[in-house]
């Protein structure tokens, strides 16, 4: 389901919100010992789905004067050096070196594997569409903000071989062998952009709530560098789990974990619940035709619907893989916990995280239902899905055997389902 609103371009600039302005609870943070004693032993059979919000917007024609900008410059072009690859190690996890401390999640192999899993989960959610924005059949230029492993940018470059694709990130962790129309650049996306105005057909930004502190400025830079008629696409999880049958109490370890993450990220200047503001932020930045699509994500493989079951399995697999990396730096740096205290907390969290149960969804979220209007479109959808599955199979061959085997088993579940 989607809600579409058409508005005229605004001449006034949007008001920038304060860093860390949260639309959620204002938790009183307990010490690790207090939290352990305060939380009851509960068996959660019905778990939440943070909803996935995808928001895209079109850049309308305007009368801005870009004469002051250097058309040949780019703030994102940088040369790799030893300082960029001299990664930092902390509590057994590896972190980026460039702009050290800027991003609180690790960049080691475990986290990179999880990033690829999150991408595949997104493909399942969106019916293997790399983008929802209606871009031209052959776009000239595409920008991927926070490209990570580069998997989305690689697949975009393969799908559009005549399109120049640029992926930027703080870490040079992308593969060396990539399509010839793809370039990876190392820089901070919140630094001033010097790309040529009116350059991009699509700017892609996904899972970046722990990267972008100042969304109004980022969207302003995106607005300037998009072509007239170009699109920006934002994708983010909503972190407000809700149980349909109320067996997921507010004092649960999961809710405490979310509260602790929210407070820690706010201290770093991030808003963990920014997804709910995307639409208003885009409108304030001057974008038009803002479209928001919201998807439900089960926590676990309990749904009867085969497609949702597969999504839930992937979601829990990547979540369990990422729990330590998500919590470790945020809790030790922002809350002053020791690594041992974090590990003890995560033991209780893993026990509580659900495996079976009913979907939990924020109010107003809708299950995605692909609108296929003809047999030809349906056939093309299945063909695209099979092609994408082969791409993921090639990706998984690069991982170690036991991990690849577990992922192939999940792929087989999805492969038997006719969308």
């Amino acid at each position: 389901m989607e809600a579409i609103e058409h508005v005229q371009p605004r001449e006034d600039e949007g008001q920038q919100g304060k860093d860390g302005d949260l639309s959620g609870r204002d938790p009183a943070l307990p010490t690790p010992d207090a939290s352990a004693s305060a939380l009851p032993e509960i068996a959660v059979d019905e778990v939440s789905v943070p909803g996935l919000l995808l928001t895209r917007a079109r850049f309308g024609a305007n009368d801005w004067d870009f004469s002051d900008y250097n058309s040949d410059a780019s703030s994102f072009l940088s040369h790799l050096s030893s300082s960029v690859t001299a990664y930092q190690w902390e509590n057994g996890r590896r972190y980026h070196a460039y702009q050290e401390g800027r991003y609180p999640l690790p960049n080691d192999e475990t986290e990179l594997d999880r990033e690829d899993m999150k991408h595949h989960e997104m493909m399942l959610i969106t019916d293997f569409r790399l983008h929802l924005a209606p871009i031209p059949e052959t776009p000239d230029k595409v920008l991927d903000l926070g490209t990570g492993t580069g998997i989305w940018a690689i697949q975009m470059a393969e799908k559009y071989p005549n399109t120049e694709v640029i992926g930027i990130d703080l870490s040079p962790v992308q593969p060396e062998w990539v399509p010839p129309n793809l370039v990876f650049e190392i820089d901070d996306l919140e630094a001033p952009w010097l790309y040529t105005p009116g350059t991009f057909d699509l700017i892609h930004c996904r899972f970046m709530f722990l990267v972008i502190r100042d969304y109004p400025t980022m969207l302003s830079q995106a607005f300037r560098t998009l072509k007239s008629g170009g699109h920006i696409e934002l994708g983010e999880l909503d972190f407000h789990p809700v149980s349909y049958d109320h067996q997921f109490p507010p004092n649960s370890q999961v809710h405490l974990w979310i509260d602790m993450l929210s407070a820690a990220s706010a201290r770093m200047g991030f808003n963990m619940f920014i997804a709910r503001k995307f639409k208003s932020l885009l409108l304030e930045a001057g974008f038009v035709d803002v479209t928001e699509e919201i998807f439900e994500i089960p926590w676990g493989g309990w749904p009867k619907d085969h497609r949702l079951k597969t999504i839930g399995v992937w979601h829990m697999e990547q979540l369990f893989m990422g729990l330590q990396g998500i919590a470790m730096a945020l809790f030790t740096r922002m809350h002053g916990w020791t690594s041992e205290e974090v590990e003890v907390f995560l033991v209780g969290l893993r026990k509580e995280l659900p495996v079976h149960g009913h979907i939990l969804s924020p109010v107003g979220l809708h299950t995605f239902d692909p609108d296929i209007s003809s047999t030809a479109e349906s056939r093309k959808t299945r063909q695209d899905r099979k092609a994408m599955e082969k791409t993921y199979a090639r990706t998984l061959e690069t991982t170690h055997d036991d991990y690849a085997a577990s992922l192939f088993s999940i792929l087989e579940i999805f492969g038997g389902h006719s969308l």
Side-chain angles (χ1 to χ4, degrees), residues 131-184:
H131 57 86
L132 277 62
I135 62 176
E137 291 186 5
T138 305
D140 292 325
K141 207 166 185 178
V142 171
L143 177 63
D144 185 25
L145 301 177
T147 193
T149 65
I151 188 170
W152 183 89
I154 291 170
Q155 291 175 2
M156 280 292 288
E158 290 176 343
K159 182 176 181 178
Y160 299 102
N162 295 319
T163 299
E164 181 183 355
V165 180
I166 300 174
I168 70 165
D169 202 274
L170 292 170
S171 295
V173 294
Q174 301 77 31
E176 296 182 4
W177 293 94
V178 298
N181 56 320
L182 170 61
V183 175
F184 291 120

Side-chain angles (χ1 to χ4, degrees), residues 75-76 78 98-99 102 168-170 185-193 211-213 221:
S75 68
F76 293 129
S78 60
Y98 179 70
Q99 299 282 8
R102 171 77 172 75
I168 70 165
D169 202 274
L170 292 170
E185 299 174 353
I186 307 305
D187 213 320
D188 185 348
L189 66 87
E190 289 204 298
W193 298 12
V211 177
I212 301 174
R213 295 185 175 95
Q221 299 199 89

Side-chain angles (χ1 to χ4, degrees), residues 220-233:
S220 175
Q221 299 199 89
F223 190 93
R224 178 178 60 82
T225 53
L226 279 168
K227 291 181 178 179
S228 179
H231 290 79
I232 184 169
E233 186 164 312

Side-chain angles (χ1 to χ4, degrees), residues 39 42 44 248 252-258 261 299 316 319-320 322-324 326-327 331 342-354:
L39 292 171
I42 61 173
V44 180
F248 193 52
S252 67
Q253 193 98 346
V254 173
H255 276 297
L256 178 59
W257 173 60
I258 293 172
L261 288 177
W299 285 25
M316 290 306 295
L319 181 59
F320 271 102
L323 283 179
Q324 188 203 49
I326 294 169
F331 284 17
V342 175
E343 294 291 0
V344 170
F345 179 84
L346 292 178
V347 169
L349 180 61
R350 292 186 183 100
K351 289 180 179 179
E352 187 178 292
L353 279 173

Side-chain angles (χ1 to χ4, degrees), residues 19-37:
D19 287 339
D21 177 24
L22 301 178
S23 57
R25 295 177 296 276
D26 182 15
L29 301 177
T31 62
D33 291 337
S35 65
S37 62

